[in-house]
Amino acid sequence: MKQLFYAAALLAITLAGCTPKSAQDKRIEELTKCYDKFIALTFDDGPSTLTPKILDILEEYNATATFFVIGNQVDSTTEPIIRRAVSMGCEIANHSFTHPYMSKLSPEEQIAEAQKTTSAIEQYAPTPKYFRPPYMDADEITHSVVPQIFIGGHCPSDWDSNVSAEERYEGLLERAKDGVIFLLHDFKDNIGTAEALARVLPTLQAQGYGFVSVSELFTIKNVTPQKGIIYRSADTAEK
């Protein structure tokens, strides 16, 4: 009986050691062999007709991103975009349902903004882990009623049509730092951001940067994010 027990234990250990790695684990393993610095790419206000162009660029440079979507834009017409993003290893996150100033809403309205968006996302993608308040406007109520981790980021004012693609590109280069989160926008017709992205990815990759989703960044940096704060980078949080 003892011999049988030891044989079973040895088999269990052997099988545990042979557990297949997930696709994300394999990707992170490959990235950490190629790059020694990492930036999380994030995009707000989609999905839109610009999002496929963003995905084309990400795919070309083996990059992933986190898309903070507006819930009322998530439906059967944008389903293919969302499913493609997920299939590429990107993640879908919560950016409210109607893009309001959250602090101006009642607790019940804030809950609805988050819950309706989560429900919309869950039709086509995993349950979102992260929330970005529109206009970065959040109060204590927002933090208490929205279950996701809050994510901020560094933005080169790419939401402003007066900011050229060149200025956006230069702004991203200035903000590049290991562990930082880039905050960009993939709303309709924001082509300047796509143009800047197509330039900044190869430029920074040549400097040793890999581009990842928020979850991948936290994993690579061994960070366990906490509620009640807003992360602008893997190691920078604002209460």
Side-chain angles (χ1 to χ4, degrees):
M1 287 297 292
K2 285 185 178 180
Q3 289 179 331
L4 182 61
F5 173 81
Y6 289 137
L10 180 60
L11 178 62
I13 292 171
T14 301
L15 290 175
C18 295
T19 301
K21 293 180 180 178
S22 69
Q24 186 185 59
D25 288 341
K26 290 180 180 178
R27 171 175 159 76
I28 289 175
E29 187 175 277
E30 292 171 0
L31 285 170
T32 52
K33 289 179 181 178
C34 297
Y35 304 103
D36 56 6
K37 296 175 287 188
F38 293 91
I39 292 172
L41 293 172
T42 69
F43 296 88
D44 288 5
D45 298 352
S48 77
T49 53
L50 180 67
T51 311
K53 175 64 175 175
I54 298 294
L55 291 173
D56 288 344
I57 297 168
L58 296 178
E59 193 165 37
E60 180 178 358
Y61 293 103
N62 191 30
T64 53
T66 301
F67 290 87
F68 288 82
V69 300
I70 298 175
N72 64 14
Q73 295 173 197
V74 177
D75 54 32
S76 59
T77 64
T78 55
E79 174 185 357
I81 298 172
I82 294 171
R83 290 197 184 279
R84 180 189 173 194
V86 172
S87 73
M88 288 172 52
C90 298
E91 60 188 348
I92 310 301
N94 192 322
H95 195 43
S96 81
F97 199 77
T98 63
H99 207 274
Y101 285 92
M102 295 292 285
S103 67
K104 295 183 178 180
L105 303 181
S106 69
E108 293 75 20
E109 290 170 328
Q110 293 200 42
I111 291 170
E113 283 286 334
Q115 285 186 344
K116 288 171 68 176
T117 303
T118 291
S119 296
I121 291 170
E122 287 176 334
Q123 296 180 80
Y124 314 120
T127 300
K129 299 177 182 178
Y130 308 110
F131 180 81
R132 178 173 284 146
Y135 314 107
M136 296 310 300
D137 174 63
D139 56 16
E140 290 184 5
I141 293 174
T142 317
H143 282 281
S144 66
V145 301
V146 176
Q148 287 90 11
I149 298 295
F150 284 38
I151 303 296
H154 297 262
C155 179
S157 299
D158 78 313
W159 47 267
D160 185 348
S161 61
N162 293 314
V163 178
S164 69
E166 178 67 25
E167 290 171 320
R168 300 175 197 203
Y169 169 71
E170 294 293 341
L172 290 171
L173 291 183
E174 291 172 4
R175 292 167 174 80
K177 181 182 177 183
D178 184 31
V180 80
I181 298 170
F182 279 171
L183 194 169
L184 300 167
H185 295 77
D186 63 327
F187 57 77
K188 182 182 177 181
D189 298 328
N190 195 28
I191 190 65
T193 285
E195 294 172 354
L197 186 71
R199 291 182 60 195
V200 82
L201 291 190
T203 299
L204 290 178
Q205 282 181 338
Q207 297 177 21
Y209 284 95
F211 291 91
V212 296
S213 68
V214 170
S215 287
E216 289 172 331
L217 182 67
F218 284 141
T219 298
I220 290 169
K221 297 302 181 183
N222 196 29
V223 172
T224 302
Q226 305 295 320
K227 281 284 293 169
I229 50 183
I230 300 177
Y231 288 85
R232 300 182 70 228
S233 69
D235 59 356
T236 303
E238 298 175 347
K239 293 188 177 182

